[in-house]
Amino acid sequence: MSAALAAAGSGLLGGVYLAFSTAVLPALRRRPDAEAAATMREVNRVILNPVFGTLFGGTALACGSALVTGALDGEPLRIAGAVAGLAGFAVTAAVNIPLNTALDRGGPWSAFDRRWTRANHLRTATSALAVALLLL
């Protein structure tokens, strides 16, 4: 059960991240830096809501549970999938959130955009990998 929840949550999160990579960030790059930064600040405020928070935190918990049950059951694909799902959570915590905080404090768009985008691509990929491995 935890592997199914981890896979579903990772898939949904991966979809959110993919939307940022393929639509939101390219659109922001077409705007002046100050406007892009202001819009991203607002997006970062809006996304802090119960639905996203439950999805984000719940997926991390489900991945943690899948990791434990995978280890106890000797299921290497479940372990790898759970680790991939947790990697997306770790990237978000280590890179995306601190960059969001810096941008919110008035940091420049130029210091934000490339690093945030690379981290976002990485968490998109780890989410997709998590789904694939957890469903095998």
Side-chain angles (χ1 to χ4, degrees):
M1 178 62 120
S2 62
L5 289 173
S10 293
L12 290 168
L13 286 172
V16 170
Y17 304 149
L18 182 64
F20 270 86
S21 287
T22 61
V24 175
L25 292 163
L28 291 176
R29 281 187 207 103
R30 293 180 180 189
R31 308 306 311 158
D33 285 358
E35 186 179 319
T39 301
M40 191 64 178
R41 284 184 199 104
E42 191 61 28
V43 168
N44 288 334
R45 286 183 192 97
V46 170
I47 204 163
L48 296 177
N49 65 66
V51 173
F52 185 78
T54 300
L55 175 62
F56 187 72
T59 299
L61 291 173
C63 285
S65 178
L67 177 62
V68 170
T69 60
L72 292 173
D73 295 342
E75 295 285 338
L77 291 177
R78 190 180 329 155
I79 294 168
V83 167
L86 289 169
F89 182 82
V91 168
T92 301
V95 181
N96 296 92
I97 291 172
L99 287 171
N100 290 345
T101 301
L103 187 68
D104 196 48
R105 290 183 178 151
W109 178 253
S110 60
F112 174 88
D113 180 37
R114 285 195 178 122
R115 288 188 61 213
W116 199 96
T117 299
R118 281 193 303 267
N120 191 63
H121 292 335
L122 179 58
R123 65 188 185 166
T124 302
T126 61
S127 294
L129 180 61
V131 173
L133 291 171
L134 288 164
L135 292 179
L136 289 178

